[in-house]
Amino acid sequence: MEPKNSTAGAEEVAAEKESSNNNNNIIKERKMSWAKLRRVDSLNMEAGNLSSKPSTHHASNHWVRTLSLAFQSIGVIYGDIGTSPLYVYASTFTDGIKHNDDILGVLSLIIYTIFLVPMVKYVFLVLLANDNGDGGTFALYSLICRYANVSLIPNDQPEDRHLSNYRLDTPSNQLHRAQKIKEKLEKSTTCKVVLFLATILGTSMVIGDGVLTPCISVLSAVGGIKPLHEEAVVYVSIAILIVIFCVQRFGTDKVGYTFAPAICLWFLFISGIGLYNLFKHDLGVLRAFNPKYIFDYFKRNGKRGWVSLGGVVLCITGTEAMFADLGHFNVRAVQISFSGIVFPSLLAAYIGQAAYLTKFPENVAHTFYDSIPGPIYWPTFVVANAAAIIASQAMISGSFAIISQSLSLGCFPRVKVVHTSAKYEGQVYIPEINYILMVACVVVTYGFKTTEKIGNAYGLAVVSVMLITTSLVTLIMLLIWKTKIWWITLFLVVFMSIELLYFSSVLYKFTQGGYLPLAFSLVLMIMMGVWHYTHQQRYLFELNNKVSNVYVSDLAKNEAISRIPGIGLLYSELVQGIPPIFPHFISNIPSIHSVVVFVSIKSIPISKVVLEERFLFRQVEPREYRVFRCVVRYGYKDIIEEPHEFERQLVENLKEFIRHENFMLESGPVEELLSENSAKARKSSGSTVHIEEALDQQIPPQRISSSSIQSIISASHSSNNNNNRNIAQGVDEELRFVQTAMDQGVFYLIGEAEVVAKQDSSLLHKFVINYAYSFLRKNFRQGEKVLAIPRTRLLRVGMTYEM
């Protein structure tokens, strides 16, 4: 038995030795990978090893949950398109019905427009172009920015591509074409500018909808009170609009869900009334499913028929809301709710109204209310007003959400954003914008007075957004989906043709109200363009004038600079180095906190960044001076935490970084490690290493960056135990030092950079920088107010940037 015991013991020793060797090899490979990352002068991290957390939007939902979400979506996103039957026929037949077959022609147009645009294009195609479950114009732009470097601000970092929500699926193999288009976009400044302008134009048009939807919906609903004359209807509508905007501060979920059951009732009412009118008046209108009546309608009416398309297009208002509000639900839920409830209800409503008009064509101005059976008139009127309020609410809250997104991407002046719901993070309230929208709604309602003129303006805004969405989705098909070219051509030709036809019609009524959304959009685009342009120029100035690391080394040797207790957070937008305002601080206040962190709040073109991947750190040499750089990454739907919580998260991640940075010291000199493992490194298949190797060709090896926060394997047996103990003691001392500094207080240092144009600049550049941007900056919120920084711990120093 003794030989067996001896053999077993030898096997155990061999197994332990093999396990130890494997662990050491794993650690050595990990260190080598980190060492390669340290050669890049950026805050690079090996984030590819983080387990990708599945997005809640993409998780496979149980059918019960999906059906529940489908039911909830009815009350949230269909208020606008659901209230269109109130005014479509009146807006189409503005001069009355000349021929009874015109009713069939318009009904056929309505049926196929709803089927092709909301159903086929949006429900089954555009919804698939979501950004991790979120929709809207900015979501499409962010998706394109992730795949191709088309952002106008050069703050792209290789590590951003390894975020869990950043990764892109490329299901087909049309790679060569996509690569050529990507290179063309990245090299062309014109393409980048056009793409950006198209995005902010679409955004501006949606915000314009936030003004026009409440006006036309409430006016149409209140118009059902027959004894009231036009002036009285206008004043009652204005009173309701003021109330709607005044209750916005209570939050979308409280306001919307209070009336949400009314939308379900509304679809029940309009479908029931439609079927009643169909069977009572004329079943023959079902012939409108034959598209022949469309051609007959245009042949009979010519130009008058083409002009009437401006009224027909109102049947698809609110379609963009299905995509914009996708983040609260999921694709399957929206598909079920629209195709199962909304689509058949709308068809029944329009078909029923057409059947009524065949018998009473003279009542076309008030088709909906005149076609309601007497006993249910007032209940329908009440439900119609509730539905109009919800339609208004959906577009108002959508405007808030879009402005919040554009704010995070540096495309809008700073405003106060209040998050009103703990359940839905995307639901926000912006006081300044709320009251601007309210005043605009009151002015439009009082000035236009009728739904016909507002409808002319509304149609232009709706079709413009759809054209931009079609263009962006086509680009996504080419770049990201890599769809076969004939499918892309079919999509572009069919939907662009339909939307351009409608666009030409609504543009014809430019002088009759169509100018309004363009005027709104022009003002908003100028505001967003000025802000973003100056933001870009300021970033480029800081990038070109960043401080070298030698300055910090000299600062450490300067005995005249005193260290004061606490942690100092110096805010800057620069992610590639030390901002030029830092020496200005030192020259004015010759002291520095015991721990200094240069903090850069960076917006990433994704909807959300998980907390584990939010903070990136790098230590600035000399190490004993305890100066760090930190990039804090947020998606455009992320919430910036309150100061106390932000400080806690930053310090905790800083400690974790210090642990990993000291762990790296075990590997010895970086260049030696790289030399030893160069062959293995070249064979590594990770995308992080590939990116960093490409960057190595441009960046000198001696410029060393830190590793990032990463979870590492627990098995870390090292043969040099004495060295480990020394390093562990050093880590403990550093962690205690940082904690002590935090206990002594966290202080915020913000540079107030006054930007002015150079004397030799063009007149346009001087006007934008010196006057337009200065006006916006003085009349909107300052950075510390947006970040809610405590005034008692805030220090500001002014500096002038000549750009």
Side-chain angles (χ1 to χ4, degrees):
M1 297 299 294
E2 195 170 337
K4 287 186 179 181
N5 288 338
S6 176
T7 304
E11 288 176 353
E12 288 178 4
V13 170
E16 287 180 3
K17 186 175 181 180
E18 184 180 356
S19 175
S20 177
N21 289 337
N22 288 338
N23 288 334
N24 288 335
N25 288 336
I26 291 171
I27 295 170
K28 191 172 183 180
E29 288 174 7
R30 179 68 59 86
K31 291 175 184 175
M32 181 278 299
S33 180
W34 283 345
K36 288 192 69 63
L37 291 173
R38 291 166 63 91
R39 297 181 63 185
V40 182
D41 187 23
S42 179
L43 292 170
N44 298 299
M45 73 177 205
E46 201 179 3
N49 294 324
L50 272 177
S51 58
S52 176
K53 294 193 174 183
S55 172
T56 55
H57 304 302
H58 292 293
S60 56
N61 292 298
H62 191 271
W63 273 106
V64 174
R65 173 172 168 74
T66 301
L67 292 175
S68 173
L69 288 172
F71 177 75
Q72 293 173 35
S73 69
I74 295 172
V76 176
I77 64 179
Y78 298 119
D80 194 359
I81 195 172
T83 53
S84 296
L86 286 168
Y87 46 79
V88 168
Y89 281 111
S91 299
T92 304
F93 295 110
T94 54
D95 299 325
I97 299 173
K98 307 298 182 183
H99 194 286
N100 255 23
D101 280 354
D102 288 351
I103 299 170
L104 292 178
V106 169
L107 177 59
S108 189
L109 277 168
I110 291 172
I111 290 171
Y112 285 101
T113 300
I114 295 176
F115 173 73
L116 288 173
V117 180
M119 174 72 88
V120 176
K121 176 189 167 184
Y122 276 86
V123 172
F124 291 104
L125 291 173
V126 174
L127 290 186
L128 302 179
N130 62 80
D131 179 20
N132 292 307
D134 293 295
T137 309
F138 262 110
L140 295 175
Y141 179 67
S142 297
L143 198 60
I144 294 168
C145 284
R146 289 219 303 280
Y147 189 81
N149 185 19
V150 293
S151 175
L152 293 174
I153 298 178
N155 63 351
D156 182 58
Q157 293 173 283
E159 61 272 13
D160 295 340
R161 304 179 188 278
H162 302 290
L163 289 169
S164 299
N165 293 334
Y166 206 102
R167 299 190 180 101
L168 298 167
D169 295 323
T170 52
S172 60
N173 59 359
Q174 311 293 320
L175 187 60
H176 182 65
R177 182 193 68 214
Q179 194 65 31
K180 287 183 68 176
I181 296 171
K182 177 184 175 183
E183 290 173 1
K184 177 70 175 174
L185 284 173
E186 291 180 341
K187 291 178 181 178
S188 172
T189 304
T190 304
C191 290
K192 292 181 182 181
V193 172
V194 169
L195 188 60
F196 173 74
L197 290 177
T199 302
I200 64 173
L201 175 60
T203 301
S204 301
M205 286 291 184
V206 173
I207 297 171
D209 283 353
V211 174
L212 298 173
T213 299
C215 298
I216 195 169
S217 299
V218 174
L219 264 177
S220 301
V222 176
I225 307 177
K226 293 180 180 178
L228 292 181
H229 55 83
E230 185 180 280
E231 286 294 324
V233 168
V234 170
Y235 288 123
V236 172
S237 299
I238 288 174
I240 293 175
L241 287 170
I242 291 173
V243 171
I244 289 174
F245 283 100
C246 286
V247 300
Q248 290 301 311
R249 68 178 187 273
F250 297 113
T252 304
D253 55 340
K254 296 182 179 67
V255 177
Y257 282 103
T258 301
F259 293 97
I263 287 290
C264 298
L265 275 177
W266 172 250
F267 283 118
L268 181 63
F269 269 71
I270 63 173
S271 56
I273 293 168
L275 292 174
Y276 168 82
N277 287 317
L278 173 64
F279 288 105
K280 181 180 179 180
H281 297 297
D282 188 4
L283 280 169
V285 295
L286 293 176
R287 289 174 295 164
F289 279 97
N290 185 348
K292 165 184 174 293
Y293 287 95
I294 296 176
F295 298 101
D296 292 344
Y297 175 72
F298 286 121
K299 185 178 179 181
R300 187 168 48 252
N301 293 280
K303 180 181 177 181
R304 193 160 56 87
W306 168 70
V307 172
S308 70
L309 289 175
V312 175
V313 76
L314 298 180
C315 71
I316 54 174
T317 58
T319 300
E320 192 71 23
M322 282 193 299
F323 186 43
D325 292 335
L326 180 63
H328 295 165
F329 308 99
N330 60 36
V331 173
R332 185 66 65 194
V334 176
Q335 288 174 338
I336 291 171
S337 60
F338 185 85
S339 56
I341 304 293
V342 179
F343 182 63
S345 297
L346 290 174
L347 287 189
Y350 288 116
I351 290 170
Q353 288 184 34
Y356 173 82
L357 288 175
T358 57
K359 295 295 177 65
F360 306 98
E362 68 278 3
N363 293 340
V364 69
H366 301 94
T367 308
F368 178 78
Y369 282 113
D370 289 342
S371 66
I372 300 173
I376 61 170
Y377 181 87
W378 287 109
T380 305
F381 171 78
V382 172
V383 174
N385 277 272
I389 291 172
I390 296 170
S392 306
Q393 174 62 41
M395 291 311 299
I396 294 168
S397 58
S399 299
F400 293 156
I402 285 172
I403 290 173
S404 177
Q405 292 176 11
S406 59
L407 180 69
S408 67
L409 294 175
C411 299
F412 202 87
R414 298 185 184 101
V415 290
K416 181 181 181 181
V417 179
V418 179
H419 294 269
T420 59
S421 174
K423 186 177 181 182
Y424 297 116
E425 295 178 3
Q427 294 186 1
V428 295
Y429 165 65
I430 304 175
E432 298 97 325
I433 302 301
N434 182 62
Y435 293 113
I436 291 172
L437 291 177
M438 182 180 74
V439 171
C441 279
V442 170
V443 171
V444 169
T445 304
Y446 184 77
F448 282 62
K449 290 184 171 59
T450 65
T451 58
E452 179 188 338
K453 291 181 180 178
I454 298 176
N456 295 337
Y458 199 16
L460 187 59
V462 168
V463 181
S464 299
V465 176
M466 289 181 177
L467 281 168
I468 291 169
T469 299
T470 299
S471 304
L472 293 178
V473 171
T474 301
L475 192 55
I476 286 172
M477 284 180 167
L478 288 165
L479 274 176
I480 302 171
W481 292 356
K482 302 182 180 66
T483 311
K484 292 184 178 178
I485 194 68
W486 67 273
W487 278 113
I488 298 173
T489 305
L490 183 65
F491 171 83
L492 186 63
V493 169
V494 170
F495 295 110
M496 192 66 80
S497 300
I498 294 170
E499 289 158 8
L500 284 174
L501 181 62
Y502 277 120
F503 185 74
S504 64
S505 177
V506 295
L507 203 59
Y508 178 78
K509 299 181 179 180
F510 182 82
T511 58
Q512 303 170 38
Y515 61 86
L516 191 62
L518 290 179
F520 279 146
S521 299
L522 182 62
V523 171
L524 286 168
M525 282 186 70
I526 290 174
M527 183 187 300
M528 296 169 78
V530 166
W531 190 268
H532 189 74
Y533 173 75
T534 311
H535 183 73
Q536 177 206 22
Q537 293 298 309
R538 177 175 169 171
Y539 189 90
L540 290 173
F541 178 89
E542 291 189 343
L543 183 62
N544 295 330
N545 294 275
K546 63 182 180 181
V547 179
S548 67
N549 290 347
V550 177
Y551 175 82
V552 179
S553 299
D554 294 340
L555 200 65
K557 300 172 185 175
N558 190 343
E559 296 180 357
I561 305 299
S562 59
R563 302 302 294 264
I564 56 178
I567 297 178
L569 304 181
L570 193 151
Y571 277 82
S572 167
E573 295 173 355
L574 191 67
V575 299
Q576 285 97 336
I578 299 171
I581 205 161
F582 179 58
H584 198 62
F585 267 114
I586 300 300
S587 62
N588 284 272
I589 308 167
S591 60
I592 189 172
H593 291 86
S594 55
V595 176
V596 176
V597 182
F598 298 105
V599 179
S600 174
I601 304 292
K602 179 181 178 181
S603 291
I604 302 291
I606 58 177
S607 56
K608 296 184 74 63
V609 176
V610 296
L611 184 59
E612 292 85 351
E613 300 175 343
R614 179 160 295 164
F615 293 86
L616 296 178
F617 283 92
R618 172 194 169 182
Q619 188 158 13
V620 181
E621 299 291 343
R623 298 173 55 83
E624 61 274 8
Y625 208 56
R626 298 184 180 91
V627 175
F628 301 89
R629 283 169 47 210
C630 173
V631 174
V632 190
R633 303 178 295 182
Y634 289 94
Y636 56 78
K637 294 190 75 175
D638 279 324
I639 304 170
I640 296 180
E641 298 82 359
E642 292 295 320
H644 178 74
E645 177 62 19
F646 177 80
E647 293 163 10
R648 186 193 65 79
Q649 291 179 7
L650 185 141
V651 172
E652 287 301 316
N653 282 279
L654 176 58
K655 290 178 181 178
E656 188 70 11
F657 164 77
I658 290 171
R659 291 190 190 96
H660 296 154
E661 185 73 1
N662 278 273
F663 177 77
M664 279 294 301
L665 293 177
E666 297 179 48
S667 61
V670 173
E671 299 301 328
E672 180 183 333
L673 183 66
L674 287 171
S675 173
E676 182 183 345
N677 296 280
S678 58
K680 290 183 181 179
R682 292 191 184 95
K683 294 179 182 179
S684 177
S685 60
S687 59
T688 301
V689 174
H690 173 75
I691 292 170
E692 301 306 328
E693 284 176 342
L695 287 172
D696 282 348
Q697 298 172 8
Q698 303 174 359
I699 300 172
Q702 65 268 21
R703 298 173 67 181
I704 297 173
S705 157
S706 70
S707 63
S708 68
I709 301 171
Q710 282 293 323
S711 55
I712 59 172
I713 56 173
S714 57
S716 56
H717 304 292
S718 175
S719 57
N720 194 343
N721 294 325
N722 292 329
N723 188 40
N724 282 350
R725 279 194 293 270
N726 293 335
I727 290 176
Q729 290 174 2
V731 171
D732 291 339
E733 289 176 6
E734 286 294 312
L735 297 181
R736 280 196 298 270
F737 189 92
V738 170
Q739 185 60 49
T740 302
M742 183 183 179
D743 294 339
Q744 291 167 340
V746 178
F747 301 91
Y748 296 83
L749 315 174
I750 290 186
E752 296 215 341
E754 188 73 24
V755 294
V756 296
K758 288 183 177 179
Q759 291 298 321
D760 57 348
S761 302
S762 65
L763 288 176
L764 180 60
H765 183 79
K766 287 180 179 178
F767 174 78
V768 169
I769 301 293
N770 295 344
Y771 298 100
Y773 176 76
S774 178
F775 173 80
L776 292 174
R777 190 167 178 268
K778 289 175 182 176
N779 288 277
F780 284 87
R781 291 177 177 263
Q782 299 299 314
E784 68 271 14
K785 292 183 179 178
V786 175
L787 297 170
I789 295 173
R791 298 180 66 86
T792 55
R793 294 188 279 141
L794 174 64
L795 178 63
R796 289 178 291 192
V797 172
M799 185 177 178
T800 300
Y801 288 176
E802 281 196 9
M803 303 188 300

Short mmCIF file of all heavy atoms in Angstrom, two decimals, residues 123-153:
data_model
loop_
_atom_site.label_atom_id
_atom_site.label_comp_id
_atom_site.label_asym_id
_atom_site.label_seq_id
_atom_site.Cartn_x
_atom_site.Cartn_y
_atom_site.Cartn_z
N VAL A 123 -43.40 49.67 -37.62
CA VAL A 123 -43.61 48.53 -36.71
C VAL A 123 -42.70 47.36 -37.04
O VAL A 123 -42.16 46.70 -36.15
CB VAL A 123 -45.09 48.11 -36.72
CG1 VAL A 123 -45.30 46.82 -35.93
CG2 VAL A 123 -45.96 49.21 -36.13
N PHE A 124 -42.46 47.11 -38.33
CA PHE A 124 -41.70 45.91 -38.69
C PHE A 124 -40.30 46.20 -39.23
O PHE A 124 -39.54 45.27 -39.47
CB PHE A 124 -42.49 45.07 -39.70
CG PHE A 124 -43.71 44.44 -39.10
CD1 PHE A 124 -44.97 44.94 -39.36
CD2 PHE A 124 -43.58 43.36 -38.24
CE1 PHE A 124 -46.09 44.36 -38.79
CE2 PHE A 124 -44.70 42.78 -37.66
CZ PHE A 124 -45.96 43.28 -37.94
N LEU A 125 -39.93 47.47 -39.41
CA LEU A 125 -38.58 47.77 -39.89
C LEU A 125 -37.84 48.75 -38.99
O LEU A 125 -36.80 48.43 -38.43
CB LEU A 125 -38.64 48.31 -41.33
CG LEU A 125 -39.06 47.31 -42.41
CD1 LEU A 125 -39.24 48.00 -43.75
CD2 LEU A 125 -38.03 46.19 -42.54
N VAL A 126 -38.39 49.96 -38.83
CA VAL A 126 -37.67 51.00 -38.09
C VAL A 126 -37.47 50.62 -36.62
O VAL A 126 -36.41 50.91 -36.03
CB VAL A 126 -38.42 52.35 -38.20
CG1 VAL A 126 -37.78 53.41 -37.31
CG2 VAL A 126 -38.43 52.82 -39.64
N LEU A 127 -38.44 49.95 -36.02
CA LEU A 127 -38.30 49.55 -34.61
C LEU A 127 -37.09 48.65 -34.39
O LEU A 127 -36.53 48.60 -33.29
CB LEU A 127 -39.57 48.83 -34.11
CG LEU A 127 -40.84 49.66 -33.93
CD1 LEU A 127 -41.94 48.82 -33.31
CD2 LEU A 127 -40.59 50.89 -33.08
N LEU A 128 -36.67 47.94 -35.43
CA LEU A 128 -35.51 47.06 -35.30
C LEU A 128 -34.21 47.84 -35.27
O LEU A 128 -33.18 47.32 -34.84
CB LEU A 128 -35.49 46.06 -36.47
CG LEU A 128 -36.73 45.16 -36.62
CD1 LEU A 128 -36.57 44.25 -37.82
CD2 LEU A 128 -36.98 44.35 -35.35
N ALA A 129 -34.25 49.10 -35.70
CA ALA A 129 -33.03 49.94 -35.69
C ALA A 129 -32.93 50.69 -34.37
O ALA A 129 -32.56 51.86 -34.33
CB ALA A 129 -33.08 50.93 -36.86
N ASN A 130 -33.23 50.01 -33.29
CA ASN A 130 -33.18 50.66 -31.97
C ASN A 130 -31.78 50.63 -31.39
O ASN A 130 -30.94 49.81 -31.80
CB ASN A 130 -34.17 49.98 -31.00
CG ASN A 130 -33.85 48.52 -30.76
OD1 ASN A 130 -32.97 48.19 -29.97
ND2 ASN A 130 -34.53 47.63 -31.46
N ASP A 131 -31.53 51.52 -30.46
CA ASP A 131 -30.22 51.62 -29.81
C ASP A 131 -30.33 51.01 -28.42
O ASP A 131 -30.70 51.67 -27.47
CB ASP A 131 -29.81 53.09 -29.72
CG ASP A 131 -28.47 53.27 -29.03
OD1 ASP A 131 -27.71 52.29 -28.96
OD2 ASP A 131 -28.19 54.39 -28.56
N ASN A 132 -30.03 49.70 -28.33
CA ASN A 132 -30.17 48.97 -27.07
C ASN A 132 -31.57 49.13 -26.49
O ASN A 132 -31.76 49.29 -25.29
CB ASN A 132 -29.13 49.42 -26.05
CG ASN A 132 -27.74 49.02 -26.45
OD1 ASN A 132 -27.47 47.86 -26.73
ND2 ASN A 132 -26.84 49.99 -26.51
N GLY A 133 -32.58 49.11 -27.38
CA GLY A 133 -33.96 49.19 -26.95
C GLY A 133 -34.54 50.58 -26.97
O GLY A 133 -35.74 50.75 -26.74
N ASP A 134 -33.74 51.61 -27.23
CA ASP A 134 -34.25 52.98 -27.25
C ASP A 134 -34.36 53.47 -28.69
O ASP A 134 -33.55 53.12 -29.55
CB ASP A 134 -33.33 53.89 -26.45
CG ASP A 134 -33.35 53.57 -24.97
OD1 ASP A 134 -34.41 53.76 -24.36
OD2 ASP A 134 -32.33 53.10 -24.44
N GLY A 135 -35.38 54.31 -28.93
CA GLY A 135 -35.64 54.79 -30.28
C GLY A 135 -35.57 56.30 -30.37
O GLY A 135 -35.29 56.99 -29.40
N GLY A 136 -35.84 56.82 -31.58
CA GLY A 136 -35.82 58.26 -31.81
C GLY A 136 -34.66 58.67 -32.71
O GLY A 136 -33.76 57.88 -33.00
N THR A 137 -34.68 59.93 -33.14
CA THR A 137 -33.67 60.43 -34.06
C THR A 137 -32.27 60.36 -33.46
O THR A 137 -31.31 59.95 -34.12
CB THR A 137 -33.98 61.89 -34.44
OG1 THR A 137 -35.34 61.98 -34.87
CG2 THR A 137 -33.09 62.37 -35.57
N PHE A 138 -32.13 60.73 -32.18
CA PHE A 138 -30.82 60.69 -31.54
C PHE A 138 -30.32 59.26 -31.37
O PHE A 138 -29.11 59.01 -31.41
CB PHE A 138 -30.86 61.40 -30.18
CG PHE A 138 -30.36 62.80 -30.24
CD1 PHE A 138 -31.23 63.87 -30.08
CD2 PHE A 138 -29.02 63.09 -30.47
CE1 PHE A 138 -30.77 65.17 -30.15
CE2 PHE A 138 -28.56 64.38 -30.54
CZ PHE A 138 -29.43 65.43 -30.37
N ALA A 139 -31.24 58.32 -31.18
CA ALA A 139 -30.83 56.92 -31.05
C ALA A 139 -30.23 56.43 -32.37
O ALA A 139 -29.22 55.71 -32.38
CB ALA A 139 -32.03 56.06 -30.66
N LEU A 140 -30.84 56.82 -33.50
CA LEU A 140 -30.29 56.44 -34.81
C LEU A 140 -28.92 57.07 -35.02
O LEU A 140 -27.98 56.41 -35.49
CB LEU A 140 -31.25 56.88 -35.92
CG LEU A 140 -32.63 56.20 -35.95
CD1 LEU A 140 -33.50 56.83 -37.03
CD2 LEU A 140 -32.50 54.71 -36.19
N TYR A 141 -28.80 58.34 -34.68
CA TYR A 141 -27.52 59.04 -34.83
C TYR A 141 -26.44 58.41 -33.95
O TYR A 141 -25.29 58.22 -34.39
CB TYR A 141 -27.71 60.51 -34.47
CG TYR A 141 -26.46 61.36 -34.57
CD1 TYR A 141 -25.87 61.61 -35.80
CD2 TYR A 141 -25.88 61.92 -33.44
CE1 TYR A 141 -24.73 62.39 -35.91
CE2 TYR A 141 -24.74 62.70 -33.53
CZ TYR A 141 -24.16 62.93 -34.76
OH TYR A 141 -23.04 63.71 -34.86
N SER A 142 -26.80 58.06 -32.72
CA SER A 142 -25.83 57.43 -31.80
C SER A 142 -25.38 56.08 -32.33
O SER A 142 -24.21 55.71 -32.21
CB SER A 142 -26.47 57.26 -30.42
OG SER A 142 -26.79 58.51 -29.86
N LEU A 143 -26.31 55.34 -32.91
CA LEU A 143 -25.98 54.03 -33.47
C LEU A 143 -24.96 54.18 -34.60
O LEU A 143 -23.99 53.44 -34.69
CB LEU A 143 -27.26 53.36 -33.98
CG LEU A 143 -27.24 51.85 -34.21
CD1 LEU A 143 -26.92 51.11 -32.92
CD2 LEU A 143 -28.58 51.39 -34.75
N ILE A 144 -25.17 55.17 -35.46
CA ILE A 144 -24.24 55.42 -36.57
C ILE A 144 -22.88 55.89 -36.03
O ILE A 144 -21.83 55.47 -36.51
CB ILE A 144 -24.84 56.45 -37.55
CG1 ILE A 144 -26.08 55.87 -38.22
CG2 ILE A 144 -23.81 56.86 -38.60
CD1 ILE A 144 -26.90 56.89 -38.98
N CYS A 145 -22.91 56.76 -35.01
CA CYS A 145 -21.65 57.26 -34.42
C CYS A 145 -20.84 56.15 -33.79
O CYS A 145 -19.61 56.22 -33.77
CB CYS A 145 -21.96 58.34 -33.37
SG CYS A 145 -22.42 59.93 -34.05
N ARG A 146 -21.49 55.14 -33.27
CA ARG A 146 -20.75 54.02 -32.66
C ARG A 146 -20.03 53.21 -33.72
O ARG A 146 -18.94 52.70 -33.49
CB ARG A 146 -21.74 53.12 -31.91
CG ARG A 146 -22.27 53.75 -30.65
CD ARG A 146 -22.38 52.73 -29.55
NE ARG A 146 -23.19 51.59 -29.89
CZ ARG A 146 -24.51 51.56 -29.86
NH1 ARG A 146 -25.18 52.66 -29.57
NH2 ARG A 146 -25.18 50.47 -30.15
N TYR A 147 -20.66 53.07 -34.86
CA TYR A 147 -20.06 52.23 -35.89
C TYR A 147 -19.00 52.98 -36.70
O TYR A 147 -17.97 52.42 -37.08
CB TYR A 147 -21.13 51.68 -36.83
CG TYR A 147 -20.60 50.64 -37.78
CD1 TYR A 147 -20.43 49.32 -37.36
CD2 TYR A 147 -20.21 50.98 -39.07
CE1 TYR A 147 -19.91 48.37 -38.22
CE2 TYR A 147 -19.69 50.04 -39.93
CZ TYR A 147 -19.55 48.73 -39.51
OH TYR A 147 -19.03 47.80 -40.36
N ALA A 148 -19.27 54.25 -37.00
CA ALA A 148 -18.32 55.07 -37.75
C ALA A 148 -18.01 56.31 -36.94
O ALA A 148 -18.90 56.89 -36.32
CB ALA A 148 -18.91 55.45 -39.11
N ASN A 149 -16.77 56.73 -36.93
CA ASN A 149 -16.35 57.88 -36.14
C ASN A 149 -16.76 59.17 -36.86
O ASN A 149 -15.96 59.84 -37.50
CB ASN A 149 -14.83 57.84 -35.92
CG ASN A 149 -14.37 58.95 -35.00
OD1 ASN A 149 -15.15 59.53 -34.25
ND2 ASN A 149 -13.09 59.26 -35.06
N VAL A 150 -18.06 59.53 -36.73
CA VAL A 150 -18.58 60.70 -37.43
C VAL A 150 -18.94 61.82 -36.47
O VAL A 150 -19.53 62.81 -36.87
CB VAL A 150 -19.82 60.32 -38.28
CG1 VAL A 150 -19.43 59.41 -39.41
CG2 VAL A 150 -20.90 59.68 -37.42
N SER A 151 -18.60 61.67 -35.20
CA SER A 151 -18.86 62.75 -34.25
C SER A 151 -17.95 63.94 -34.55
O SER A 151 -16.80 63.77 -34.95
CB SER A 151 -18.61 62.26 -32.81
OG SER A 151 -18.74 63.33 -31.90
N LEU A 152 -18.49 65.15 -34.37
CA LEU A 152 -17.71 66.36 -34.67
C LEU A 152 -16.73 66.70 -33.56
O LEU A 152 -15.83 67.51 -33.76
CB LEU A 152 -18.67 67.54 -34.89
CG LEU A 152 -19.56 67.44 -36.14
CD1 LEU A 152 -20.55 68.58 -36.19
CD2 LEU A 152 -18.71 67.42 -37.40
N ILE A 153 -16.90 66.11 -32.37
CA ILE A 153 -15.97 66.35 -31.26
C ILE A 153 -15.01 65.17 -31.16
O ILE A 153 -15.44 64.03 -30.98
CB ILE A 153 -16.74 66.53 -29.94
CG1 ILE A 153 -17.64 67.75 -30.02
CG2 ILE A 153 -15.77 66.67 -28.76
CD1 ILE A 153 -18.48 68.00 -28.80
#
